[in-house]
Amino acid sequence: MTGTTPCTSPRATRRAALLAAGAAALAAGCGGNGGGDAGAGGDAAGDGSSPGTPSDTPSRTPSDTAAPGGPAGRELATTDDIPVGGGVVFREEKVVVTQPEQGDFKAFSAICTHQSCLVASVSDGTVDCACHGSRFRITDGSVERGPATRALPAERITVEGNSIRLT
């Protein structure tokens, strides 16, 4: 042998490279969002739809503030837009407005208290989360069916004439 020595430095094997890549992918997939279902830039509803206005939400462009001297807050809907015994999820505002009985309007956070998914719909007297099946009563936001254990927090709205505003 003329001046050559075998390489004794550690070198990466195919197995070591694959294990490192797998560990990196696992760490990236498990971190970052505090255990919720909706990661950064993800689909908070968990149903493949993108955040925005659902088809059952009234299609109008609400103003952020009222004219001076007028009612404060952002107009969400008219009273006619909210069905009696039902409600509407406003995805952009992350609020759900319900009308348990004629003329009785309620508003709740549209963020499920189980794992922070955006609730998907209102039907049969409940606000429904599609992620894990939690259901909340339209009358007071309390849990009708888990896995959620806490009620949806109430949101403040005002109803003047036939305008419903988030305050």
Side-chain angles (χ1 to χ4, degrees):
M1 293 200 144
T2 59
T4 61
T5 57
C7 180
T8 58
S9 66
R11 62 176 197 188
T13 63
R14 180 184 303 179
R15 181 178 292 157
L18 288 173
L19 286 173
L26 180 63
C30 290
N33 71 355
D37 289 343
D43 174 23
D47 60 4
S49 64
S50 61
T53 305
S55 60
D56 63 345
T57 299
S59 59
R60 80 170 71 71
T61 305
S63 61
D64 287 333
T65 56
R74 181 178 185 162
E75 184 176 40
L76 289 174
T78 67
T79 56
D80 294 337
D81 294 330
I82 313 300
V84 175
V88 175
V89 175
F90 296 89
R91 296 172 72 81
E92 282 186 26
E93 293 83 359
K94 294 180 175 69
V95 67
V96 57
V97 177
T98 66
Q99 186 178 189
E101 296 181 20
Q102 181 70 42
D104 181 26
F105 296 92
K106 310 278 185 175
F108 307 99
S109 169
I111 306 298
C112 180
T113 57
H114 175 235
Q115 285 194 346
S116 301
C117 290
L118 196 62
V119 297
S121 62
V122 180
S123 64
D124 298 323
T126 60
V127 177
D128 305 331
C129 181
C131 289
H132 299 105
S134 293
R135 291 188 180 169
F136 305 88
R137 292 175 185 90
I138 65 170
T139 55
D140 59 5
S142 63
V143 177
E144 180 168 292
R145 184 176 87 190
T149 58
R150 292 176 289 125
L152 293 175
E155 295 285 338
R156 293 183 52 170
I157 56 170
T158 58
V159 179
E160 292 186 25
N162 97 1
S163 176
I164 301 172
R165 294 183 174 276
L166 185 62
T167 57

